[in-house]
Amino acid sequence: MGCDSVPPYTPSPPSPSYSTDLLPGEQTIEHARRASLQPLTGVCRRITDAITVVLRDQRPGSIHPTYDRGGVVRGDLILKSTDDLTSVTLKLEGSLFVEKSGVSITTTICSMTYAMWSASQGRPCPQKIPFAAILPLTFKDGGHLRHLPPTFEASEPRVVCSYSLTVELSRPRQFLHFLRASETVKVPFIYRPRSRPHTSMLPSDLPFMTTVKSSPEEWHQIMCTVNMSKASGLDPVQCLLFIPSVQVYALSDTIPFHLQIRGSPASLVPFLEQSQASGVPSHSGGGVIIRVYLLRQTGIRIHEKSLASSRVLGEGKMEPSQLSPSKQHAFQRHPLGEGLDSLDWDGELRCSDNATVPTFVTSQVYIKDLITMSITPRQPLKSPLLGVKHCHPIRLVTDPWSNEVIS
């Protein structure tokens, strides 16, 4: 039986060229974020009479050496004199200190020692000793393996998380040669592990009512109830706060939100009553103070006892939603049907400039961040409203999701 001949093949045409630039009629559905990192060409120096410690891979102009998660601590030890040296040792350390009512606990979260040179090696000590050490990613926290916490300090409660590089030069004592005289140089450094949201959020300038209909998955709804006094005979009102559904935001992000208060027309009257403005940063809802703000809780645990303090990271800025261009009043009830009306506000949240530490938790220290909504009557004894404060946990991270240059 004869074999059929192989059919002839012609070379395939070349693959079409591709570009990240969009052509007319094309649109980007989704893209991965690319970080544009500034080159780390700077150095930090610590100079003493005996040694100069040079730390490389720093941002140009930086005063304090700073390292990211899994960073490499790299540099040189420049010795002024190597006479009579017996050893040169380098140590990387991290510690967590907490104090409550005079009781303090210091926990070592990382400790690594490196013998850079020893006289027992039988070779002379070099004048310049290069070094490189990788920071660990995690530490053992009781029965858990956790990420190293960032450099952090708080006064109330007292918390200090610090990291340092220590160089020790050992020489024999002048008269007691069997004892060593040590000279140490300690260089504190900042550990700032970077993190970002896992996805983006909608731009804050897009109208809420448009996006909540076209992309409802982009919003997360938080709901609470404002009760009325029994004597008033009024029905409770519902408060609906909408925030971007990612619920993980950069410290530098502007977080859009939408607040809706819905209830019977009679129950909404206290929100429309006019009264004198308060000195508290808030939105005037007539006879009611309405606030949406970022709240940070810093807490410690010592011997199964806890102590925490709170501070406001940023106040929300709110304006009444203009759902209909024809409505000119600052506050306008919007009928929802079934005998319910609503009042609506659009707003933005942003951390203050002095917030640099992200959310984190260990067995002894935690930083929790919450979006908080509070509604308080200006005259509690006269108002039928009982007021409410509702906190919703979020996570704050160091970097935004966007493609902008990370600073």
Side-chain angles (χ1 to χ4, degrees), residues 1-5:
M1 182 176 178
C3 295
D4 295 335
S5 60

Side-chain angles (χ1 to χ4, degrees), residues 147-285:
H147 292 293
L148 290 183
T151 299
F152 174 68
E153 184 171 357
S155 57
E156 186 59 40
R158 180 65 174 159
V159 181
V160 179
C161 182
S162 60
Y163 296 86
S164 64
L165 177 148
T166 302
V167 180
E168 182 181 282
L169 307 179
S170 297
R171 289 182 169 89
R173 291 185 182 273
Q174 187 173 1
F175 299 106
L176 302 174
H177 295 282
F178 58 90
L179 296 177
R180 292 190 310 166
S182 297
E183 188 171 0
T184 61
V185 178
K186 188 174 184 178
V187 184
F189 64 85
I190 296 172
Y191 178 62
R192 190 171 185 260
R194 307 177 77 148
S195 52
R196 64 180 179 90
H198 58 275
T199 188
S200 62
M201 61 181 177
L202 291 174
S204 58
D205 57 349
L206 294 179
F208 168 78
M209 287 301 178
T210 300
T211 58
V212 76
K213 293 178 180 178
S214 62
S215 305
E217 71 281 358
E218 294 288 344
W219 295 97
H220 177 78
Q221 177 180 293
I222 305 164
M223 187 166 61
C224 65
T225 301
V226 180
N227 291 313
M228 302 289 180
S229 64
K230 292 183 179 180
S232 69
L234 296 174
D235 295 327
V237 298
Q238 295 291 326
C239 298
L240 284 72
L241 180 65
F242 296 85
I243 61 174
S245 59
V246 61
Q247 299 182 74
V248 180
Y249 314 109
L251 291 163
S252 60
D253 273 341
T254 297
I255 307 169
F257 67 86
H258 181 88
L259 175 63
Q260 183 179 86
I261 298 178
R262 57 172 61 178
S264 65
S267 296
L268 293 181
V269 169
F271 293 90
L272 300 171
E273 293 175 346
Q274 298 301 315
S275 60
Q276 293 183 350
S278 168
V280 179
S282 62
H283 178 80
S284 173

Side-chain angles (χ1 to χ4, degrees), residues 102-118:
V103 179
S104 63
I105 296 178
T106 300
T107 303
T108 299
I109 52 181
C110 68
S111 180
M112 298 169 291
T113 303
Y114 304 92
M116 306 306 298
W117 176 85
S118 174

